[in-house]
C-alpha cells in the first residue's frame, strides 16, 4: 500500500442537507492525520474538467449548518464513457490526488465502482441522499432533514385543511422509495400513505375515507412520487368518488432538498466523514461507509446500490392503527 | 342606538395565519367591556345553519400562536341568496346576537355589506387574508406570515439551486395581486418578479438572464399566481430560449396559508381586534378596521373591497437594481 | 389474566416534545383493540385527586404536532408515601381502570415500580424525557427535538459570535447526563464539549483555545448543566486566562423543553405508544418499552432507571478531530 | 461637489439580522451607478487598521438570508480619540474612499457625526440594531427578526409552562428601550410586560396575578433588560408573594441577535441600502436614512440618536385588555 498524501473530495447526484457537514468532517479529519485535501467541484464533471480547489480548515469553517453543497454537484454524461473516466483519472494524477471520498447515492457509487476497476484508485463513499434508499446504512445523510421539512410543510397544510374541512393529497419526494413518505406520513398523522413498495388497496382506502368522514375535520394522504398511482391520479379518483369532499393536491417539490441540516444529519455526516478518511488510511476502498445500529459499517459499492426493496412492515402497520 | 349585549364573531373566505389571534382579541375585548361573545362556525354557512358556540376567556387561551382558525371558515353559496341571508338573520335574532365582527377578505365584506343594508345589523370587518389586497390597511392579517413562509421555502430552494447551478421559477399565491410575490421576491433576492400589476417585458427578462449567466450560479424568478404569463408558461419559454439552463418550476401552493403567525401578524390582529369591538361600542358599522401609518382607520366596506390596483413602484424599482 | 377493559394514561416528570404524539398513539391503539382509555391529569398527583377525563379519537386529534402534554404533568410528593399510593389505587378502582401507561422518566418509573409491587396493577412505561438518560432505549421521546432546539439556538449565537469574534460558552440541559451536550455540540461544530460523564482536562482545553485563536473567528463551547465545572465557572476561568477574548455565557434554559416535536420523535412516540398498549394486552407489566436497533424492547423498570453512565466514546473522539 | 468614485461600507455596534441584506443592497446599488465599493471590516476599528476589501456583485451573492454581518463589527475605543479618527481618515484617503455608508446604531452615528465635522467626508447611516430605538425610522433593521425570535422562544416556553401550570418571567433584550418587550409581549399573549418606559405598578400586577390564577394554567411575564425592576428581582418578588406558584426565570440572551432575517427586515434593508447610496449621489450627508409611513426619510444623525422616550401608548393599552 502506498501512503496516501492527498485526498480528493466531491459531492455528486442530487444534493442533500448535511453534505457540507460531511465535507467539513472529511477535510478536518484528513488534516488531523496530516493529509492534504483537494475539493473537486461539480462531482465527476469537475473531475474531468479539472475544477480543483485546495481545502483548508478555514474553507470548511461555518458551513456545518448550511444546506446544499459548497462543492456543488452535477450529473455527468461524460463520466459514463471510458474516455471521460480516463480524462478524470489523468486530472487526478496531474493534481497528485491519491484517493477519493465520494458523497452521493446510487449513481455516484456505480461510477466509482467502474473507476476503481479501471484505474485502481481507492474510493470510499458516503451516503448523501434524502431518499434513504441505500443498503449498508440505517440512514442516509439528508433523510432526517427532509422528513422534518415535509412535516413542517404538512403541519402548515393541516392548518388550512382543518380550517376548511379539506382532504389534502400531498406528494413527497421518492422516485423509487417510499421511505420519505412513510416516516413523514406517520409524523403528520396521515390518514393513508401511498408508496411504491406496497400496493394500494383502493377499495380499503375509499372505505376508510368514508368511515372517517363524520369524525374528522381534515384528512391528509401522503403519496410518494414513485407510487404507481401517484398524487395526481389519486386526487382525481377521490374527487370522482367523493364529489362532496373539498379535495386538494399539493406537490411539495424542491423545498425537500434544502434547508439547514437537522442535528442527526450533522452528527451522522460528521461521524461518516471521520470514518471515511480513516478507512482510506487503513487501506480500504470500494466501499460505502454507513451507520448500522449505531456502529460504523463498510458495504461494498455493488451491495449498497441495490435498492432497499421493502418498507419497514412495523411502520406500515402502525399507520392503519393510528389514522383511525 | 341600542346597547350591544352579544357580539357574534366569525371567519370567512380563505384562512390566514393570525385569524386566531384576532378571534382572541375580539373575545377578550368584548368580555373586558362586559359584552358576551358567540362564535359562529364556518362563516356565513354556519350562521345560516346555526352553528353557534359561546366564547369565554378560556376558549381563546393558548391560540394566539396557532395557524388556521378555530372557528373554521367556508364559502357560502346560500348567503348569496336573499333567503339565505334572511335565514342567517333569523338565527342571529334567535341567539340574541346584536352585532357582528367578520374576519375575512373581499367576499366576506361584500356579503356583510348586503346584510347590513337588508337587516340593519352592525358589522365591523377585520382584514384577514394573506394577499394584502384590501384598501384601508397597510397590511392584512396573514400577509407578513405568508411572505415569511415564502422566503423560508425559497431559501431552501436556493440551497439546491446553488448546488446544481439551476434557474428556478417559483410560483407564489396571489390570484389578483402581486404583493406576496413582490415583497418575498425582494426578500429572496430574486432575479425577476412577475406580477399581474405590471406587464412583463420578456425581451428585457431574456436579456438579463443572458447577461447574468456567467456571474451567477443560481437564479430565482418569482411569479404571482395571477400573472398573465404564469409560472408554467414562463418556464416553458425559458426552457426553449435557454436550452442549456437547468430550469425548474416549483409551485409553493397551500403551505402559504398555514403556520404560526409572525409577531407582526399577531400584534396587528390584536390591535385590530380591540379596535373592532370598540368601534361597535361606539356605534360604528359597515366598515373594515385597518392600520394605516400605524394608526387605526375605518374604511367603508365598499371602499375596502376595491382592489389595490398598483404595486408599490418603489419596490418594483429596487428589484431591477439589486438583482443584477 | 383478567381482560383489560380500561387503560389509564398519564404523563409525569419533566415534559418533553412528543408526549402528545405518544398519548395519541396510546389512545388510538387502545380504541383500535376496543379498550377504553381514561386520561389522568398531572401524573400521580391527578391520580390521587381523581382528575380523570375520558379519551376518544377526537380528544387526540390534531395534537401530534404540539409540544408539551395535553394531560399536563407534575411532580407528586404524596405519591412517595404509602397513603398517597393507596389513595391513587382507590381512585383507579373507582374509575374501573385496570392498567396504566406511564410516560416519563426515572422518577415516574420508580413510582410505578412501587405501585405494581403494592397493588399488582399492570403498568407499562414510555421513555418521555429530553435527557436520553434511560437504559432500554436508544432514544427517549423528546431528545431529538431538544438537540434540534439547541442547534437552532446555537446557530443563532454563532451568527453574532462570528460578527464579533467572540467565544461563547453555551450551557444546555442535562443535570445528570451529557447526552444533549454531546450530540448538539457535534451538531454545532463546538470547539469543546464539557459533560458530567468525562473529566475535563482544563490544561488541554486552554492549550487548544490558545492554538486555535488566529485561525478561527468564533468559538463555541457547549457545557452540560451537570458538568462538574459548569457554565458559569468555566466562563470565569476563561475570562481570567484569556482577558483579551470577548467571552460570553449563554444559558439556553427552558426553551429546550418545548416546541413542535421532530419527525423522529413523532415516529418514535407513535411506535412506542402502539407497542405499550399491545404489551399490556399480552399480559406484560413493570417494563419500559423502548427502541433498540430499530426493534421494540421491553426493559424492567428497575433496569431502565439505572443511568447510562458513559457517553458514547465514538462521539467523544470525533469532537477532538473536528473542532481543530 | 466632487463626484463620488468609491464608497466604503461598514457595520458597527451590535450586530443585527438584515445587516447582510443591507450590505448587499449598498454594494449592488453602487455598482449599478458605476461606483466602486470597498468593504471595511470590523467598523471603525478596521477603518483605523486598514482592513479593507474590494466588493463585487459576487461578494454579496447568497448573503441576503444570513444572520450576522460578513463585514464583522466591533466597538472601537480608538475612534473615540481624535488621533484614532485622524488615522481612520488617512486610511480612507489612501484607499481613495470618498464617502461612507455606516450601518449601526446610536454609537455608530455619534462617531460618524464627529468624523464628518472633523474631516468633511460624506456619511450616510442605516439603522441597524435590533432595539428599534432610533428616531427617524418606524423600524430599525433587525427588530422584526428579533421579535420573531423572541416569540418563537416564548412559544416553546409556553408549552412547558402549560404542561406544568407555571409562571415564567422571560427577560428579553433592550437595555434602554422596551420595544422588543412590548411587541413580543403582545405577540405571545403575555400577562404583563415590564419596560423601562413605564413605571410598573407592582400592586396592580400582584392583584392581577392573583385574580387570573384559577382561570389560567400558565402565565408569561415579559421583562425588558433595562426595566428598573428587572427579571431577577421581579422573579424573587413573585416567589415571595406567591410561594405556591411554580415561578421560573428565563433570560433569552444572545439568540435574539442572530438568525435568518425576516422578510420585512430583508425588504427594509434592501430599500434603505438603495436609498443610502442614492442619497450620497445626490450630495446628502450626515443623515440616517429611515422608513416612516412607508416613505424614505432622512434624519440628521444628531436627531436620530435621541432615544425614543415613550413606548406606543396604543400598544401598552391593549396589553391590559387582552391579558385578562
Amino acid at each position: 500500500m502506498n501512503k496516501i498524501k492527498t485526498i480528493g473530495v466531491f459531492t455528486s447526484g442530487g444534493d442533500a442537507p448535511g453534505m457540507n457537514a460531511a465535507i467539513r468532517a472529511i477535510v478536518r479529519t484528513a488534516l488531523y492525520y496530516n493529509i492534504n485535501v483537494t475539493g473537486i467541484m461539480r462531482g465527476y464533471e469537475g473531475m474531468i474538467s479539472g475544477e480543483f480547489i485546495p481545502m483548508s480548515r478555514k474553507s470548511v469553517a461555518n458551513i456545518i449548518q448550511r444546506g446544499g453543497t459548497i462543492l456543488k454537484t452535477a450529473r455527468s454524461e461524460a463520466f459514463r464513457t471510458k474516455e471521460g473516466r480516463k480524462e478524470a483519472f489523468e486530472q487526478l494524477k496531474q493534481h497528485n490526488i491519491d484517493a477519493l471520498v465520494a458523497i452521493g447515492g446510487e449513481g455516484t457509487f456505480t461510477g466509482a465502482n467502474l473507476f476503481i476497476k479501471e484505474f485502481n484508485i481507492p474510493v470510499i463513499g458516503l451516503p448523501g441522499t434524502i431518499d434513504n434508499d441505500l443498503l449498508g446504512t440505517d440512514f442516509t445523510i439528508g433523510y432526517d432533514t427532509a422528513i422534518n421539512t415535509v412535516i413542517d410543510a404538512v403541519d402548515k397544510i393541516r392548518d388550512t385543511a382543518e380550517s376548511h374541512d379539506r382532504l389534502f393529497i400531498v406528494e413527497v419526494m421518492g422516485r423509487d422509495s417510499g421511505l420519505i413518505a412513510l416516516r413523514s406520513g406517520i409524523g403528520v398523522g396521515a390518514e393513508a400513505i401511498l408508496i411504491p413498495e406496497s400496493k394500494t388497496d383502493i377499495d380499503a382506502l375509499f372505505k376508510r375515507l368514508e368511515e372517517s368522514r363524520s369524525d374528522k375535520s381534515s384528512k391528509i394522504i401522503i403519496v410518494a412520487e414513485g407510487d404507481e398511482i401517484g398524487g395526481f391520479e389519486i386526487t382525481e379518483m377521490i374527487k370522482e368518488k367523493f364529489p362532496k369532499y373539498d379535495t386538494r393536491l399539493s406537490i411539495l417539490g424542491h423545498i425537500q432538498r434544502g434547508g439547514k441540516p437537522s442535528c442527526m444529519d450533522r452528527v451522522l455526516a460528521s461521524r461518516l466523514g471521520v470514518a471515511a478518511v480513516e478507512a482510506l488510511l487503513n487501506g480500504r476502498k470500494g466501499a460505502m461507509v454507513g451507520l448500522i445500529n449505531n456502529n460504523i459499517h463498510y458495504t461494498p459499492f455493488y451491495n449498497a446500490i441495490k435498492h432497499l426493496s421493502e418498507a419497514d412492515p412495523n411502520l406500515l402497520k402502525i399507520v392503519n392503527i393510528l389514522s383511525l
Side-chain angles (χ1 to χ4, degrees), chain A residues 81-82 85-86 113-121:
Chain A
T81 66
K82 186 134 194 188
R85 291 192 295 274
K86 192 166 187 313
N113 226 8
L114 276 171
F115 204 46
I116 296 169
K117 272 183 204 152
E118 292 169 358
F119 302 101
N120 194 31
I121 182 167

Side-chain angles (χ1 to χ4, degrees), chain A residues 48-67:
Chain A
I48 293 172
S49 61
E51 280 190 90
F52 295 161
I53 52 167
M55 303 293 280
S56 68
R57 277 185 185 92
K58 209 151 193 180
S59 43
V60 294
N62 213 13
I63 66 165
I64 197 171
Q65 80 278 26
R66 300 224 175 111

Side-chain angles (χ1 to χ4, degrees), chain A residues 21-275:
Chain A
I23 295 167
R24 172 181 176 270
I26 291 158
V27 169
R28 294 210 169 160
T29 306
L31 297 177
Y32 179 85
Y33 289 114
N34 295 311
I35 294 170
N36 299 316
V37 196
T38 297
I40 303 167
M41 299 299 291
R42 280 169 248 271
Y44 294 119
E45 200 67 17
M47 201 185 290
I48 293 172
S49 61
E51 280 190 90
F52 295 161
I53 52 167
M55 303 293 280
S56 68
R57 277 185 185 92
K58 209 151 193 180
S59 43
V60 294
N62 213 13
I63 66 165
I64 197 171
Q65 80 278 26
R66 300 224 175 111
T69 159
I70 59 166
L71 296 179
K72 294 182 182 264
T73 179
R75 294 177 204 277
S76 173
E77 285 306 313
F79 197 77
R80 289 169 187 258
T81 66
K82 186 134 194 188
E83 301 73 46
R85 291 192 295 274
K86 192 166 187 313
E87 180 56 32
F89 183 68
E90 292 303 323
Q91 289 280 4
L92 295 180
K93 265 208 309 193
Q94 233 175 289
H95 290 79
N96 300 312
I97 295 171
D98 313 302
L100 294 171
V101 181
I103 308 166
E106 199 191 350
T108 311
F109 301 153
T110 307
N113 226 8
L114 276 171
F115 204 46
I116 296 169
K117 272 183 204 152
E118 292 169 358
F119 302 101
N120 194 31
I121 182 167
V123 189
I124 290 288
L126 260 77
T129 162
I130 62 169
D131 289 335
N132 204 29
D133 60 348
L134 293 167
L135 286 179
T137 193
D138 288 341
F139 297 109
T140 54
I141 298 165
Y143 174 67
D144 187 55
T145 306
I147 56 177
N148 277 304
T149 300
V150 171
I151 67 168
D152 276 357
V154 180
D155 284 350
K156 289 191 174 73
I157 291 173
R158 177 75 81 177
D159 283 343
T160 191
E162 277 284 314
S163 301
H164 288 273
D165 298 333
R166 277 179 183 154
L167 188 163
F168 265 93
I169 285 88
V170 181
E171 190 180 294
V172 302
M173 281 190 168
R175 222 164 292 171
D176 306 298
S177 159
L179 293 183
I180 289 179
L182 189 54
R183 267 206 177 72
S184 67
I186 293 173
V188 299
E191 269 59 41
I193 302 171
L194 276 57
I195 55 176
E197 290 89 341
S198 88
K199 213 178 153 54
T200 302
D201 180 340
I202 290 289
D203 292 333
L205 176 62
F206 282 175
K207 196 160 160 258
R208 183 181 224 161
L209 288 178
E210 204 150 350
E211 283 167 356
S212 76
R213 180 90 228 260
S214 58
D215 198 36
K216 295 193 118 178
S217 56
S218 70
K219 294 180 199 66
I220 306 280
I221 295 173
I222 302 288
V223 184
E225 210 179 353
D227 176 68
E228 63 168 352
I229 304 183
F232 183 76
E233 202 179 322
I234 193 73
T235 305
E236 293 307 303
M237 288 166 78
I238 291 173
K239 278 183 176 171
E240 202 189 304
K241 177 79 181 174
F242 301 99
K244 292 208 165 167
Y245 282 28
D246 190 357
T247 303
R248 306 286 171 113
L249 171 65
S250 180
I251 297 171
L252 292 189
H254 282 85
I255 58 167
Q256 296 167 82
R257 291 209 170 280
K260 288 188 164 202
S262 71
C263 193
M264 282 298 177
D265 271 332
R266 298 185 195 185
V267 173
L268 176 67
S270 299
R271 291 180 74 173
L272 298 186
V274 172

